[in-house]
Amino acid sequence: MSRFLFLQSWLLIFCLAFSTCLAGPAPWVIRISCGSRVNVRTLPTNTLWYKDFAYTGGIPTNSTAKVYVAPPLKTLRYFPLSEGPNNCYNIKKVPRGRYSVRVFFGLVAHHDPDPNFDNEPLFDISVEGTQIYSLQSGWSNHEDQVFTEAQVFLTDGTASICFHSTGHGDPAILSIEILEVADRAYYFGPEWGEGVILRTVTRLSCGNGKSKFDVDYSGDRWGGDRLWSRMTTFGQSSDKAISTENSIKKASNAPNFYPEALYQTALVSTDSQLDLAYTMDVDPHKNYSIWLHFAEIDVSVTDVGQRIFDILINGDVIFDEVDITKMSGDRYTALVLNTTVPVNGRTLTITLNPKEGSHAIINAIEVFEVITAEPKTLLEEVRALQALKSALGLPLRFGWNGDPCVPQQHPWSGADCQFDRTSSKWVIDGLGLDNQGLSGFLPNDISGLHHLQSINLSTNNILGAIPSSLGTITSLEVLDLSYNFFNGSIPDSIGQLTSVRRLNLNGNSLSGRVPAALGERLLHGASFNFTDNAGLCGMPGLPTCGPHLSAGAKIGIAFGASVAFLLMVICLMCWWKRRQNILRAQQIAARGAPYAKARIQTAHDIQMTRHHNHGYARTAAENGPSLLS
Ligand SMILES: *[C@@H]1O[C@H](CO)[C@@H](O)[C@H](O)[C@H]1NC(C)=O
Ligand SMILES: *[C@@H]1O[C@H](CO)[C@@H](O)[C@H](O)[C@H]1NC(C)=O
Ligand SMILES: *[C@@H]1O[C@H](CO)[C@@H](O)[C@H](O)[C@H]1NC(C)=O
Ligand SMILES: *[C@@H]1O[C@H](CO)[C@@H](O)[C@H](O)[C@H]1NC(C)=O
Ligand SMILES: *[C@@H]1O[C@H](CO)[C@@H](O)[C@H](O)[C@H]1NC(C)=O
Ligand SMILES: *[C@@H]1O[C@H](CO)[C@@H](O)[C@H](O)[C@H]1NC(C)=O
């Protein structure tokens, strides 16, 4: 008995291990419940949503539960305009790969009785700098518009998902999902690649009365947990829903891993003369990738040749004489056809046109907008702008989040962008942050903006030195730092800016000599303003500076001056001593009459002997006072 149990448990362990091996590695998945302070699990699938993180700003609040298919989450995060027009979730450490990125939108709960209060915000969404979607008014009343979803390649270890205000309410986000899918998911041909994003426009399960996610169908996790919206009829009573309980072969195959249940329902035309047609609204002048799903599940069709139809898109035959049983190999077997078409109008119509005697059938439809990923801004320039943002203490309202130049509809305010053909990236060619109440200082990192042609930081409260690294931005033509609190001297490197046409440094606290090389620019018609500073010199219109001396010359002059000073001191001392002696002698001579007479007498005697003994007389004269006292 015990031995039997032992065997059984080993068998169990073996089976578990074997089934995990069979399932292969799990896809990389992250789900965020925006605005939530705790991790959340949702029923019935026990899905884990991480508490809110990786956002650039915004305010967490409660969400209203108006939305039908959205995950049952209670909180959201919204981004008022005071926090800037661009806000993002920057998720790090995302392994390189292809991902399905999905964002559910939120509705901010409000207790305002004003019926005109519009809490349905309209805004734009970008992924990795490429705009993928603009919300349409009325979105909150359509279950397939309460989220946006796109398949993207994430190659640089981050996922940056940004929300851009368009002046119609504050962007509000309920949840973010980043779900890894197979590397070649939805491969549609040679144009497919890392630079291509597929945004889901629609995904319909035909003949199904209930919208479901892959997870509700127990679909493979590598499928990206797609939402299949219900589609009970295309209208005009031209079709009817059918279904089967039979299992379907070849459904959950790589790279797309469709759930089997998708092929167990279908719409069939009611009359053999009738087309099955589905029309949807689309944005014009775009390419669409269309995926059509079939399986022969109608009991009345038993063999090859009994159901044949053409497939037309906007009137053009794309697939002719489709015979599902023949092409898939059997009945109850999945067949997936895909095509990519340009659409210039505002509608996209898929028509199944049955051949004589047969009826059309379809199980599911997927339509994607093909979006070319935008090139991003040169990384070095992004870093330089971020350094500038923190050094200047840029206010939140600037919204310097995400990529500075893309999406092109929403660049950072104050940064002018230009496409650089050599690097195939965007670069910054102008910085206009004049009169913005900025303080802080100008960092050396500004030289990372190699392509700048113009900088205007006029009329702010910027302190400290002008960074000498500015001199390395050789393309700089206009530099306006006027009306700030820049101090110290103008770095010599500024003289190396050979392209500079306008240099406004007036209204600062600069001092010292203006780099001489700037004088040459003046000859070439450049215009400079150095007025209203603490003491600049050496340009026309400014005071001339003192003679310009080398360090050696300065030492020489200092040495000479000290020697001269010493000599002067010595001379002074000699003169003073001599003068003291004379004074003393005179004082003694003047003291009392006998002494005075004696002194006069002596002096006379001395005078008398001088001619005879010169040496003595001199000694007497010099030592007079001491001899006499
Ligand atoms: C959100 O809802 C919770 C209860 O579910 C409540 O305690 C909290 O005050 C609400 N917060 C806001 C900002 O309305
Ligand atoms: C989509 O169709 C193209 C041909 O048009 C084909 O090369 C490709 O394999 C198909 N993709 C999938 C995933 O079946
Ligand atoms: C659609 O695809 C074609 C062929 O790949 C391409 O030349 C064209 O630029 C695309 N159109 C749009 C709007 O992306
Ligand atoms: C810089 O901005 C100021 C104030 O906003 C403006 O007066 C000045 O002309 C600008 N400088 C240049 C060189 O354009
Ligand atoms: C310039 O101003 C800064 C900050 O106000 C100060 O720390 C620095 O010493 C000043 N430098 C000069 C050369 O005056
Ligand atoms: C230079 O700046 C001063 C104020 O600092 C201004 O009064 C003057 O007009 C400016 N000169 C030129 C040529 O722009």
Side-chain angles (χ1 to χ4, degrees), residues 28 30-36 50-58 77 79 87-94 158-163 176 178 401-402:
W28 193 93
I30 201 159
R31 290 183 162 93
I32 301 174
S33 172
C34 303
S36 177
Y50 284 106
K51 64 182 171 194
D52 209 357
F53 74 104
Y55 46 83
T56 58
R77 176 169 293 274
F79 302 96
N87 273 285
C88 304
Y89 274 79
N90 295 314
I91 295 144
K92 302 216 163 68
K93 297 195 182 148
V94 182
T158 68
S160 174
I161 302 163
C162 300
F163 313 105
I176 289 176
I178 301 176
N401 297 306

Side-chain angles (χ1 to χ4, degrees), residues 37 60-63 74-75 109 111:
R37 280 178 237 279
T61 187
N62 289 338
S63 122
K74 295 195 173 66
T75 58
H111 311 287

Side-chain angles (χ1 to χ4, degrees), residues 295-599:
E296 189 51 79
I297 60 167
D298 191 338
V299 286
S300 65
V301 175
T302 55
D303 209 347
V304 169
Q306 293 179 7
R307 189 200 297 282
I308 297 172
F309 54 89
D310 289 346
I311 302 174
L312 295 80
I313 291 173
N314 280 350
D316 298 330
V317 177
I318 304 292
F319 301 100
D320 66 339
E321 312 226 330
V322 173
D323 182 334
I324 301 164
T325 314
K326 187 173 160 194
M327 290 167 80
S328 66
D330 202 354
R331 298 166 67 210
Y332 303 103
T333 307
L335 170 69
V336 184
L337 298 176
N338 82 84
T339 185
T340 304
V341 294
V343 176
N344 292 322
R346 295 192 166 271
T347 57
L348 174 66
T349 301
I350 300 164
T351 308
L352 310 184
N353 175 225
K355 294 289 149 184
E356 64 255 36
S358 62
H359 296 235
I361 184 172
I362 188 157
N363 300 67
I365 298 173
E366 294 174 283
V367 177
F368 302 95
E369 181 188 335
V370 181
I371 302 171
T372 308
E374 292 247 29
K376 300 213 267 180
T377 306
L378 211 59
L379 195 58
E380 190 186 3
E381 307 223 342
V382 181
R383 295 220 172 101
L385 284 177
Q386 276 159 350
L388 199 64
K389 173 183 172 180
S390 65
L392 293 177
L394 220 59
L396 274 180
R397 67 184 155 80
F398 274 86
W400 277 21
N401 297 306
D403 190 283
C405 299
V406 290
Q408 287 179 60
Q409 299 92 326
H410 303 283
W412 290 1
S413 68
D416 299 331
C417 296
Q418 195 183 44
F419 191 70
D420 177 47
R421 291 191 191 282
T422 36
S423 60
S424 290
K425 299 267 185 187
W426 290 90
V427 296
I428 312 299
D429 68 352
L431 207 55
L433 295 172
D434 46 292
N435 209 351
Q436 296 295 339
L438 305 178
S439 49
F441 65 99
L442 203 54
N444 252 314
D445 311 61
I446 194 170
S447 62
L449 301 169
H450 293 305
H451 301 85
L452 278 180
Q453 293 176 4
S454 126
I455 298 177
N456 196 345
L457 292 170
S458 173
T459 327
N460 285 295
N461 304 311
I462 304 169
L463 299 167
I466 297 177
S468 65
S469 67
L470 271 181
T472 63
I473 309 177
T474 48
S475 49
L476 204 58
E477 294 175 10
V478 174
L479 179 59
D480 191 341
L481 303 179
S482 58
Y483 307 107
N484 279 290
F485 298 107
F486 286 107
N487 66 1
S489 57
I490 303 175
D492 274 340
S493 62
I494 298 292
Q496 290 151 24
L497 295 171
T498 48
S499 305
V500 80
R501 287 186 289 107
R502 275 190 81 172
L503 181 61
N504 290 356
L505 300 178
N506 51 305
N508 281 291
S509 307
L510 299 166
S511 55
R513 173 183 288 271
V514 175
L518 284 173
E520 292 163 31
R521 302 292 111 67
L522 272 181
L523 296 178
H524 294 94
S527 92
F528 297 159
N529 197 338
F530 298 113
T531 53
D532 294 337
N533 271 295
L536 285 172
C537 61
M539 275 280 140
L542 295 175
T544 48
C545 305
H548 195 58
L549 296 165
S550 70
K554 279 178 192 161
I555 291 171
I557 287 174
F559 183 75
S562 353
V563 168
F565 180 73
L566 254 172
L567 278 172
M568 211 169 78
V569 167
I570 290 168
C571 288
L572 254 172
M573 276 174 70
C574 292
W575 173 80
W576 181 79
K577 188 130 193 186
R578 197 190 150 108
R579 192 177 138 79
Q580 285 298 98
N581 287 350
I582 292 169
L583 274 178
R584 221 194 264 158
Q586 282 173 350
Q587 269 171 6
I588 290 167
R591 226 181 267 152
Y595 283 104
K597 201 175 177 182
R599 189 186 161 266

Side-chain angles (χ1 to χ4, degrees), residues 184-190 254-256 258 291 319 336-340:
R184 289 172 75 79
Y186 292 98
Y187 171 84
F188 60 77
N256 292 343
Y258 294 109
W291 296 69
F319 301 100
V336 184
L337 298 176
N338 82 84
T339 185
T340 304

